[in-house]
Amino acid sequence: PPPSSGDAAAGSPEPLRYVSRVHVDDIVRAVLASMDTVGPAGCAGSAVRDPHRVYNVADDAPTPRAEVMRYASGLLGQVEEGGPGALEGNDARARRRATECKRVCNRRLGELLGDQGLLYPTYRHGLDAIHAGGASGESSAGRSPRGTPT
C-alpha cells in the first residue's frame, strides 16, 4: 500500500496520492531504446529482440499529486486556493484522479537507459524545462536538464 500522511479515519489526514510523471522526451527515448534492445538468445543461438518486455516509463520520483500541483502553480506564479487539489478541478475525472495512486517502479527503465538515464529524472526537472521553454530536451541556456553541455 502507498505511504500515507495518516489514517483516513475520522479527522485524520487523507492518504497521500502518489503520481509518477514522465517528460515526453523521456518517453520517446524509452520507446526508441526498447526497440533497439536485444533480448535472450533465440533457438539458433542468435540474439533476438524481446517484443514482450514491459517497461514502466516514469520519472525517478513518485510524488504526491498535491505537491506536483503546488510546484507547477508556483512556476506560474499562482497560489493554490481552496485547499489541496483545488487546482485540479471539480469534475468527475478530477475527483477520480484525486483517489488514484499511480506510484510505479521504473527500475527496468533505468536498466534499459543505462548510464544515460532520464533527461528529466524528476517532475521538477521536467516542469522547470517546460517553464523555461526547453520542453524539447534543452534548457534555454543550451544545457541539458542535468546541467551537462548539449
Side-chain angles (χ1 to χ4, degrees), residues 36-50:
D36 288 339
T37 299
V38 175
C43 295
S46 61
V48 295
R49 285 193 173 93
D50 184 358

Side-chain angles (χ1 to χ4, degrees), residues 46-136:
S46 61
V48 295
R49 285 193 173 93
D50 184 358
H52 304 291
R53 188 95 173 159
V54 175
Y55 299 93
N56 288 329
V57 182
D59 72 13
D60 295 335
T63 306
R65 180 179 295 280
E67 183 178 326
V68 175
M69 296 301 288
R70 276 192 302 274
Y71 188 78
S73 297
L75 287 176
L76 298 174
Q78 298 177 354
V79 177
E80 185 175 8
E81 297 177 12
L87 293 176
E88 295 185 41
N90 201 17
D91 61 4
R93 182 176 177 215
R95 286 191 301 273
R96 184 192 80 242
R97 281 195 328 238
T99 63
E100 295 174 336
C101 182
K102 296 182 179 179
R103 188 177 201 175
V104 299
C105 174
N106 70 354
R107 178 186 49 78
R108 192 178 282 176
L109 175 65
E111 293 168 359
L112 173 71
L113 296 176
D115 292 339
Q116 292 181 349
L118 294 169
L119 291 173
Y120 305 93
T122 71
Y123 75 93
R124 289 177 184 256
H125 289 97
L127 290 176
D128 287 345
I130 292 167
H131 185 254
S136 65

Side-chain angles (χ1 to χ4, degrees), residues 15 26 106 146:
D26 284 324
N106 70 354
R146 290 185 170 192

